Amino acid sequence: MSKNPVRSLQAAVLASEAVVIALAIPVAVAVLKVDGALAGLVCGGLAVLCVLLAGLLRFPWAVPVGSGLQVLIVATGFMVPTMFFLGVLFGALWGTAIWMGRKAERAAAR
């Protein structure tokens, strides 16, 4: 079985995003004085979802779920304002990975 480069790119985006969202927890707690349980639940939960979804990208439903996850990550900006920027950045990377995947599928169909 050959490795799908688009799926690998999407997995890399999700894995990187998991690290960034997990690192938002100490920032939320120490700097912004967010309740630790809330920050851990929201940011930690999203980080776990990113990692799980990276492993489930072989299923067709995973890409739309990943797109919804991008929206949730942008919404963490209400807890850690920097996440508005980082969430949009990762959303753009996610969108680029989808675009590249469609472009590759069209090229393969020719």
Side-chain angles (χ1 to χ4, degrees), residues 21-75:
I21 194 74
L23 289 172
I25 298 169
V27 173
V29 174
V31 177
L32 301 170
K33 306 301 183 211
V34 174
D35 178 60
L38 176 65
L41 181 67
V42 173
C43 295
L46 288 172
V48 168
L49 284 175
C50 285
V51 171
L52 290 175
L53 193 59
L56 296 171
L57 285 169
R58 65 186 173 276
F59 299 106
W61 53 262
V63 173
V65 170
S67 298
L69 186 59
Q70 301 309 311
V71 173
L72 294 176
I73 290 175
V74 170

Side-chain angles (χ1 to χ4, degrees), residues 13 17 66-67 69-71 73-74 83-98:
V13 169
E17 203 164 19
S67 298
L69 186 59
Q70 301 309 311
V71 173
I73 290 175
V74 170
M83 287 307 298
F84 283 125
F85 170 74
L86 293 173
V88 168
L89 179 67
F90 276 108
L93 290 171
W94 180 255
T96 300
I98 293 170

Side-chain angles (χ1 to χ4, degrees), residues 91-107:
L93 290 171
W94 180 255
T96 300
I98 293 170
W99 172 73
M100 289 178 65
R102 290 183 180 154
K103 188 174 177 180
E105 287 172 354
R106 284 192 302 271

